[in-house]
Amino acid sequence: MVARHDLTTDPGLQAQLLQARRGTAFFARKLNELTDARLDGDSLLPGWSRRHIAAHIGYNARAIARLIEWAATGVETPMYPSVAVRDEEIEFGATLSPIALRNLFDHSAVHLSVEWRDLPDDAWHHTVRTIQGRDVPASETVWMRSREVWVHAVDLDNGATFADIPEPVLKRLLNDITGAWHTRGTDAGLVVKVAGTDSSFGDTDAADPTVVTGALAGVVRWAAGRGADGVEASKSSVSTMVPVAPKWI
Ligand code: ZN
């Protein structure tokens, strides 16, 4: 009999799956609001039209579904053969007809959701590999997808903002981004503070850091390299220009 609910019994994972599916529904709404003609317009990502974003999100679901098949069968099926192939695929996808592009998004999202649903409890800890070459448990794919759909829904430039992204997703994004800076050592002299909280990120041991502050959504938007509205910066308690955030991905 085919399962009609997720096989995983882990409540934390179930909550993450809900968040990824909500993000996918949110992306779908922002995409479906766009007329076919508006798909040709620019996204918020340099050099990418809205078509590129839709194609990327569709192929991303297929790539993550390959990781779930890997976790289920033990047969290695990478996300993409290479970064170059991934990029070529997106360029190709961006040239599809509007109906084909929308079908790519819809079908790949449903397929991934089913792969997740049917992955048995004990397979979620099986190791798979990301395009960056990181070995991760299959459960990590849920977050990988979640951050893609939520952030790129904003990139569609169709009215979504970081304030639409749920707080747990924003918090995890900020941890991911500042963690990546830390690993690369690109956060020297830079501290990020979320207004109204005690949370500090970045080079918190620096003697006289540049401190970037704002509400959570604004801080995450800035940290993700998507503009400085809603944040301010200071050094030695004196207001200063908001720096460009270090590269994230
Ligand atoms: Zn992406």
Side-chain angles (χ1 to χ4, degrees):
M1 215 179 89
V2 178
R4 286 282 170 250
H5 56 84
D6 291 314
L7 291 185
T8 179
T9 54
D10 177 338
L13 193 51
Q14 288 170 342
Q16 282 190 54
L17 284 163
L18 183 62
Q19 211 139 57
R21 289 178 176 129
R22 279 190 180 146
T24 304
F26 182 67
F27 184 95
R29 181 150 66 85
K30 300 319 288 179
L31 181 65
N32 292 339
E33 285 168 3
L34 290 165
T35 61
D36 288 351
R38 290 186 70 207
L39 287 178
D40 297 338
D42 289 341
S43 76
L44 294 181
L45 293 183
W48 271 19
S49 68
R50 292 182 175 119
R51 291 169 153 278
H52 287 90
I53 302 275
H56 167 47
I57 287 296
Y59 291 129
N60 171 263
R62 286 192 184 167
I64 289 178
R66 284 193 279 275
L67 295 187
I68 298 305
E69 284 153 21
W70 178 354
T73 63
V75 178
E76 183 168 334
T77 42
M79 291 183 80
Y80 308 96
S82 69
V83 173
V85 169
R86 185 199 75 150
D87 294 348
E88 277 165 28
E89 189 177 48
I90 293 168
E91 285 300 330
F92 164 76
T95 68
L96 290 171
S97 70
I99 183 83
L101 198 53
R102 293 179 194 278
N103 282 339
L104 167 65
F105 166 75
D106 290 340
H107 294 168
S108 63
V110 169
H111 176 64
L112 174 59
S113 185
V114 168
E115 289 288 337
W116 275 338
R117 185 192 70 189
D118 294 343
L119 190 65
D121 238 343
D122 66 349
W124 281 97
H125 69 271
H126 290 173
T127 301
V128 294
R129 196 173 317 114
T130 71
I131 181 79
Q132 288 93 5
R134 273 193 314 136
D135 286 334
V136 297
S139 55
E140 179 79 7
T141 63
V142 182
W143 169 240
M144 287 161 58
R145 177 64 175 172
S146 213
R147 66 182 197 190
E148 288 293 314
V149 288
W150 283 109
V151 172
H152 288 316
V154 177
D155 291 332
L156 280 175
D157 194 18
N158 184 29
T161 71
F162 274 76
D164 292 314
I165 302 177
E167 189 173 306
V169 176
L170 289 174
K171 284 182 171 166
R172 192 158 174 190
L173 268 170
L174 191 54
N175 272 315
D176 266 26
I177 295 170
T178 54
W181 296 346
H182 182 74
T183 303
R184 293 181 198 142
T186 52
D187 61 355
L190 185 63
V191 166
V192 180
K193 277 191 174 157
V194 179
T197 73
D198 295 331
S199 303
S200 288
F201 303 85
D203 189 9
T204 47
D205 295 330
D208 186 23
T210 298
V211 181
V212 175
T213 318
L216 181 63
V219 163
V220 176
R221 175 178 183 231
W222 167 80
R226 283 159 170 89
D229 286 357
V231 295
E232 46 193 48
S234 64
K235 192 170 164 70
S236 313
S237 302
V238 178
S239 178
T240 180
M241 281 263 292
V242 178
V244 174
K247 255 183 69 110
W248 165 33
I249 294 183

